Each structure stands twice: as C-alpha cells, then as structure tokens.
C-alpha cells in the first residue's frame, strides 16, 4: 500500500480552518466495507514505522481483517485514523494473491463522520488506539502530544483525553525538544520519561547531551552522567565567577600548569618564604609581576590560589616537598652525577691495586699468621661477615683452591681462615666504595687504616674518601656519646640505698659476675718464664702451628 505525499503544515492549516467552520451537528458513525487500496494514510500518523507485517499478512490471508479500521471522510476519500498496519498488510496480501478465495477484497471500517475536520480528536484516537495495541515508541507518543499542543490543547486536557498523568505528558513534551540523540535513547529503552526532566537542563548544550547518552544502557547510567555534567557545569560557572572577581581586583588568572603542584616551577605563595625565612604576604604580592592566581577545586568548592610563577627568580625558598628541579639544579645534579661516576671508577681502579697489595702482604703462610687471632675473633663474633669473601681473592691469598679445606690440616685451615678474613674486608670495602649499601660500612675506615699502617699508599681519590670516612666516624661517635649521655640522664642512682630508678621504676642494682673460667688472668709481675725480668707475653693460641710449613701432600694430613 502506498501513501500519497502529504504536506503536513498545509494540512494542519486546512484542518484548523475546518474546525472553526464546522457546524454543531454531528453525524453518526457507521460500518462499511472498503477496498484497503482506496484508503489514505493519515498525514500525522503517529506510528512512523509499521514494523514487520509478515505474521499480520498471513493472518489476514487466512481469515481476512476481523478488527474494523477507524477512518474519517476527508477530501472525498477515506483517511485512516487507526489501523494503518492492518490496511498495509491487507494491501500486501491482495497484491501477493494471498487474499481468501471467495471473499471481497475489502476491509471493515468504522467510518467516523463526526471526526471530520476534528484534527485533535483524530490524534487522540490514534494515541489511544495504538497504546491499546503494540506500544508506540516514546518519541512517537511524544510527537502525538506535541501535535495536540499545537492544536491548542494544554497539558491537563491532553492528559484527560489520553488517560495519562500530567507528569507523563509534560515529560514527553520535553523529550521532543531534546533532539535525535535523546529521542533515539528513549525509543531504545535506555532513557525513561522520568529521566527527561533531568536532561532538559542540557537542552542548550548538545555536546553535554551526547556525552550523557553515549553508550549508556539504562536510566541509572543516564543519572550518573547527568550528575557528572551538573558538577562540571557548576564548576565552570564558579570558575567564571572567580575569574571575573580576580580580574576586577587586578589579579592575573593563570592556567594551571601540567603536573601541578608537585613537579612544576609555579608554587603557592603560602608555601614560600623569603631569603630570611619569613612568610610572604599574599595580599601584597598578588597583583605584582610574576604573580597571579589559579583556580582549583570541585563540587562547589572552587577557590583561587595566589601563586608565584618562578620562585627561584625572586629568591624565594619552598617550604614543602617538590619534585621540581630548576634548570640550575638540573645542571648541578648532572655535574654531580658525572663527578660521582668518575670518582667511582677511580675507586674501582684503586681497588685493583689494593687487591695486589693484599696478596703481596698476606699471601704467604708466614704473613698470614699475623692476622690469625683477628680472623678467629671475626669468625666467632660475626660469622656472616665471611660470606662476603670473593673466592678468586681467597684463592690468591691462600695459594690454592679454597675448597681443599675439606681435607686440610690445621696449618692449611689457619691460612684459609686468614684468606677469607682479608677477602671479606676487601669485599666490604669495595661495596662501600661503589656506593652500595653495607651493614658493616663502619669496618671500612679501620681496615684502610690497617692497610696504611702495613705500608699501603692511598691513591688521591682514596685519600679524599678516607677523609670523608674519618669525618663520618667522628660524627657517629658524637651521636653515640650524645645517646649515651641522654640515656644516662634518664637514670637516677641512689648509691646509699643501692637502687636504680629508670622508666620501669625503682629496682635493686644487680651485680653480675662472670664465671671464673671465662676470665683470662692478667700476667703476674713474677711470671718470668724466660728469665728476662719481664712478665711473659700473651700465649700463642696455636703454639704447635707451623704456618711456614709446606702444604700437605695429597692423600692426607702430615
């Protein structure tokens, strides 16, 4: 079925004129059988899409049209008010040769002469009839309400005639003003008429409307987007108001820089002091060259912050942590990095020379004997220290494979112990020299001092490093002394009563005695074993060890 082209504006003018000229008398409706091909589609048909007619056409081909169409006599023909889908399906069935045999090719129609020239009544009829069948889309229904509004019906009258609430009619009328994006979302079921009222405030902002409706799946998604856009709009309005106020006060409004506030030159004036560490008066500087304001915040808490564009140029100091580095600072840091790397390389070079000295000084069994007691003490007090030793240096110092300790005799074991002691010290020293962490960095200075005492000459870079270590050690000692003094100040002794008062309260002084066997007796003046009139020197802990002896033969200890 084809519908002749209709000029809607002209038709509305003609219908309106007819309404005014129509006589008071009404003609009664009547039933008639009419060829569906002779029916004319209504120019303001609310249903813009007839949809799939396959099933309806099949039903008509089998039984004909059982439900009468509503038509109005107009312009010498019959115009459809309700039943556009049935009329179209009937025409398709006739043209396809599917009309029931032996029956006239007509459809039952309820002719409504009383609605002739009554355009509002026709629209109301279409709304009611279609809503009682397959639902109209939201946009189709809204368009129908809009047509009734054009015919002079107010919201209350439209609601009364269609059986809808005034709130529903109001929302639908607003939908017609929101554009295709909104009507499309409503027709797809993603936007309810209840949400339309919220969207109305963005009627003048198509981009915001598009952001709200893009990709949403339900009314809740719309509500989230509406809240976001309302916040953005409020923030924008507050920003504009603040900008006007600042400009009127002679303050420049600046764009917030990238990485504000922790990694940019611009700084809040409230976070600066002058060269004398005095705070800066914001009111005095806000209109000066090099100063201005940025606006930040959100959710109704927008505020103006007075800033200095380049604090370094004004000689100001920052009072809060920042990642920002001025060009001069970056140059200085780069220079410091190059100097640190150059120094590290020189210390590594010195380390190679130092290793050769260690092998020459303690790389023999006889020389190793001089460090045996220290090596034993270190093995007992800090056994984990030996894990630092490098096997290559241990082998050079011990004169052989360090792994032969599994079968070595006492002489060989003593030499391996000293080798590991020296190699551990060198590994610890190299670690600190390279700038890496060591929990035994306090051992470096005594070790370098020992090497110097044994005849090692420090390189120029090592001398500078040694001086720094001396200064650090002195500072460490001062800190320890201060801690001890503070700890002593917290204790009050009562010598007469023999009690001590501390943070835990008053308690008796306890005298702890070491076991008698653990105390080494001091040398007596008459202990003159060698007959030279002097006390005997400390007894050699390994009197039978011969560090100058040849290495044991393979196959067992000698």
């Amino acid at each position: 079925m084809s519908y002749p082209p209709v000029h809607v504006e002209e038709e509305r003018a003609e219908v309106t004129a007819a309404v005014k000229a129509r006589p008071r008398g009404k003609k009664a409706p009547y039933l008639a059988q009419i060829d569906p091909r002779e029916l004319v589609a209504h120019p303001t048909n609310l249903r813009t899409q007839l949809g799939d007619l396959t099933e309806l056409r099949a039903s008509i081909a089998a039984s004909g049209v059982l439900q009468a169409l509503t038509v109005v006599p107009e312009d010498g023909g019959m115009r459809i008010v309700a039943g556009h889908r049935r009329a179209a399906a009937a025409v398709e069935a006739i043209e396809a040769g599917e009309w029931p045999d032996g029956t006239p090719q007509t459809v039952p129609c309820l002719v409504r002469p009383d609605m002739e020239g009554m355009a509002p009544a026709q629209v109301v009829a279409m709304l009611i009839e279609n809503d009682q069948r397959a639902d109209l889309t939201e946009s189709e229904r809204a368009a129908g309400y809009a047509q009734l509004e054009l015919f002079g019906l107010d919201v209350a009258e439209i609601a009364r005639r269609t059986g809808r609430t005034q709130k529903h009619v109001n929302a639908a009328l607003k939908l017609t003003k929101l554009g295709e994006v909104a009507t499309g979302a409503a027709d797809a079921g993603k936007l309810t008429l209840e949400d339309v009222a919220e969207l109305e405030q963005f009627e003048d902002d198509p981009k915001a409307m598009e952001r709200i409706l893009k990709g949403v799946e339900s009314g809740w998604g719309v509500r989230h987007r509406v809240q976001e856009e309302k916040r953005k709009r409020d923030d924008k309005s507050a920003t504009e108001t603040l900008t006007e106020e600042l400009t009127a006060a002679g303050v420049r409004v600046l764009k917030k820089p990238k990485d504000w506030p922790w990694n940019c030159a611009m700084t809040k004036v409230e976070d600066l002091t002058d060269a004398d560490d005095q705070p800066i008066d914001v009111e005095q500087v806000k209109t000066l060259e090099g100063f201005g304001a940025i606006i930040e915040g959100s959710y109704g808490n927008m505020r103006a912050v007075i800033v200095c564009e380049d604090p370094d140029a004004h000689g100001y100091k920052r009072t809060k942590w920042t990642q920002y580095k001025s060009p001069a600072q970056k140059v200085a840091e780069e220079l410091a990095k190059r100097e640190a790397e150059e120094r590290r390389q020189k210390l590594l070079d010195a380390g190679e020379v130092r290793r050769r000295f260690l092998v020459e000084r303690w790389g023999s069994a006889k020389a190793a004997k001089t460090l045996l007691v220290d090596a034993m003490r270190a093995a007992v007090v800090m056994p984990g220290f030996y894990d630092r030793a490098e096997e290559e240096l241990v082998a050079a110092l011990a004169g052989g494979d360090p792994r032969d300790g599994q079968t070595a005799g006492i002489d060989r074991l003593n030499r391996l112990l000293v080798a590991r002691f020296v190699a551990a010290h060198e590994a610890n020293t190299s670690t600190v020299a390279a700038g890496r962490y060591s929990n035994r960095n306090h051992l470096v200075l005594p070790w370098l001092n020992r090497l110097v005492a044994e005849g090692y000459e420090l390189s120029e870079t090592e001398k500078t490093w040694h001086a720094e270590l001396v200064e650090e050690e002195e500072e460490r000692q001062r800190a320890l002394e201060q801690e001890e003094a503070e700890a002593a100040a917290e204790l009050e002794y009562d010598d007469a009563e023999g009690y001590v008062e501390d943070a835990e309260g008053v308690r008796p002084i306890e005298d702890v005695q070491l076991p008698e066997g653990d105390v080494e007796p001091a040398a007596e003046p008459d202990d003159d074993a060698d007959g030279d009139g002097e006390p005997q020197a400390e007894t050699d802990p390994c009197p039978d060890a011969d560090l100058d002896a040849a290495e044991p033969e393979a196959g067992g200890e000698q």
Side-chain angles (χ1 to χ4, degrees):
M1 176 179 180
S2 59
Y3 299 122
V6 177
H7 300 286
V8 176
E9 296 300 329
E10 295 178 3
E11 183 65 26
R12 286 178 179 165
E14 292 175 3
V15 171
T16 304
V19 170
K20 293 179 179 178
R22 186 176 180 274
R24 292 182 178 274
K26 296 182 179 179
K27 295 180 181 180
Y30 61 91
L31 286 172
Q33 291 288 337
I34 302 174
D35 188 330
R37 292 167 291 188
E38 296 177 358
L39 299 176
V40 179
H42 201 284
T44 57
N45 180 25
L46 302 182
R47 191 178 293 282
T48 57
Q49 300 293 330
L50 296 179
D52 186 3
L53 301 176
T54 304
E55 291 185 3
L56 181 57
R57 190 180 80 185
S59 173
I60 292 173
S63 306
V65 175
L66 302 179
Q67 179 71 35
L69 289 66
T70 302
V71 299
V72 177
E74 294 279 3
D75 300 330
M78 292 293 177
R79 178 169 291 167
I80 303 173
V81 172
H84 287 83
R85 297 183 77 249
R86 280 166 282 164
V91 170
E92 287 187 7
I94 292 172
E95 292 178 348
E98 298 173 353
W99 196 260
D101 295 335
T103 60
Q105 295 180 342
T106 60
V107 295
C109 296
L110 177 61
V111 183
R112 298 287 303 269
D114 57 314
M115 294 176 64
E116 182 179 358
M118 299 286 290
Q122 296 172 19
V123 173
V124 170
M126 284 189 283
L127 282 167
I128 295 174
E129 200 274 346
N130 279 290
D131 271 346
Q132 291 172 347
R133 296 178 182 277
D135 284 346
L136 294 169
T137 65
E138 295 290 359
S139 61
E140 289 172 341
R141 186 176 296 110
Y145 296 153
Q147 290 181 40
L148 293 176
E149 192 176 40
L150 289 175
F151 290 129
L153 276 66
D154 61 16
V155 171
E157 182 63 15
I158 295 173
R160 186 187 69 80
R161 293 199 185 192
T162 59
R164 297 282 186 168
T165 65
Q166 293 188 37
K167 180 180 178 182
H168 169 85
V169 174
N170 260 321
L173 289 173
K174 290 175 182 176
L175 178 62
T176 63
K177 303 174 183 178
L178 298 183
E180 294 181 0
V181 176
T183 55
D187 290 346
K190 299 177 181 179
L191 176 67
T192 66
L193 292 181
E194 287 71 21
D195 297 319
V196 169
E198 291 287 336
L199 284 175
E200 188 182 14
Q201 60 189 304
F202 301 103
E203 179 184 350
D204 60 343
D205 192 345
K207 291 185 178 179
M209 185 78 70
E210 185 176 354
R211 288 194 297 269
I212 291 171
L213 297 174
K214 184 178 181 180
V216 297
E217 296 298 331
S218 69
W220 290 109
V222 172
R223 290 161 204 158
H224 285 303
R225 300 277 181 84
V226 166
Q227 183 60 39
E228 292 173 7
E229 291 298 329
K230 285 173 63 177
R231 188 258 305 165
K232 291 178 183 177
R233 178 171 285 190
D234 291 345
D235 289 349
K236 182 180 179 182
S237 176
T239 299
E240 291 172 351
T241 300
L242 283 173
T243 300
E244 292 176 1
E245 294 174 353
L246 290 166
T247 303
V251 180
R252 290 188 305 140
V253 178
L254 306 172
K255 182 180 179 181
K256 187 185 297 184
K258 183 181 179 181
D259 297 329
W260 166 266
W262 307 119
N263 195 15
C264 58
M266 185 182 291
T267 306
K268 299 177 184 178
V269 172
E270 62 190 52
D271 294 339
L272 296 172
T273 61
D274 60 18
D276 298 325
D277 296 326
Q278 296 301 311
I280 301 167
D281 190 330
V282 173
E283 293 300 319
Q284 289 185 358
V285 301
K286 66 181 183 181
T287 59
L288 300 179
E289 184 68 27
F291 294 84
I294 63 170
I295 299 173
E296 62 178 3
S298 190
Y299 291 100
N301 297 317
M302 306 299 290
R303 66 188 187 105
V305 179
I306 306 302
V307 298
C308 178
E309 293 182 277
D310 189 356
D312 297 315
H314 291 78
Y316 293 151
K317 302 177 183 177
R318 292 176 172 83
T319 60
K320 291 193 175 177
W321 177 86
T322 177
Q323 288 181 320
Y324 173 73
K325 299 292 187 298
S326 67
Q329 287 175 315
K330 291 180 180 178
V331 170
E333 287 185 356
E334 187 61 31
L335 178 60
K337 285 181 181 179
R338 289 200 298 268
E339 291 177 348
E341 179 59 23
E342 183 178 357
R343 167 177 158 146
R344 190 181 72 86
Q345 291 296 337
K346 289 183 177 180
L347 286 176
L348 290 176
D349 293 339
E352 293 298 319
V353 177
R354 194 169 57 245
R355 290 163 66 93
R356 292 202 298 268
F357 172 82
L358 297 176
V359 174
E360 290 182 6
R361 178 65 188 84
W362 288 295
S364 66
K366 182 176 181 180
K369 183 178 180 181
T370 62
L371 295 179
L372 182 57
V373 173
D374 287 337
M376 289 182 174
R377 184 175 292 111
V380 172
V381 175
M382 47 182 186
F385 180 60
Y386 283 81
D387 294 339
R388 301 170 181 263
E390 297 177 6
E391 294 299 309
E392 184 179 350
L393 182 56
V394 173
L397 287 162
D401 191 345
R403 293 173 295 183
D404 62 11
Q406 293 286 349
T407 58
I410 186 63
D411 297 339
R412 181 63 178 161
L413 289 174
N414 287 337
R415 185 173 179 184
L416 286 170
L417 179 63
V418 170
R420 290 197 173 276
F421 171 74
V422 173
H425 267 293
E426 176 55 30
N428 184 58
T429 302
S430 298
T431 296
V432 178
R436 298 192 299 272
Y437 171 76
S438 170
N439 61 346
R440 301 192 187 279
N441 57 351
H442 60 284
L443 299 179
V444 174
L445 179 61
W447 181 247
L448 290 178
N449 288 339
R450 168 171 269 180
L451 297 188
V452 171
E454 293 289 341
Y456 176 70
E457 182 179 352
L458 298 174
S459 69
E460 293 301 318
T461 304
E462 284 179 312
K463 289 178 182 178
T464 302
W465 182 36
H466 182 271
E468 294 171 356
L469 292 174
V470 170
E471 185 176 349
E472 291 175 4
E473 179 61 22
E474 291 174 351
E475 179 62 30
R476 191 174 74 89
Q477 291 298 329
R478 284 193 293 269
L480 288 174
E481 290 172 2
Q482 183 177 355
E483 289 179 7
E484 292 174 357
E486 291 174 353
E490 294 178 358
L491 300 176
E492 296 180 2
Y493 293 90
D494 187 342
D495 296 335
E497 297 295 333
Y499 285 86
V500 59
E501 182 178 357
D502 58 15
E504 298 179 356
V506 179
R507 55 185 174 83
I509 297 176
E510 297 180 3
D511 187 13
V512 179
Q513 298 290 337
L514 293 175
E516 188 172 313
D518 285 352
V519 180
E520 296 183 4
E524 297 294 336
D526 58 350
D527 187 9
D528 188 7
D530 54 4
D532 60 358
E534 296 294 333
Q536 179 88 15
E538 179 181 351
T539 305
D540 191 333
C542 302
D544 298 327
D546 183 7
L547 298 182
D548 293 328
E551 296 296 330
E553 298 274 338
E557 295 180 8
Q558 300 297 321

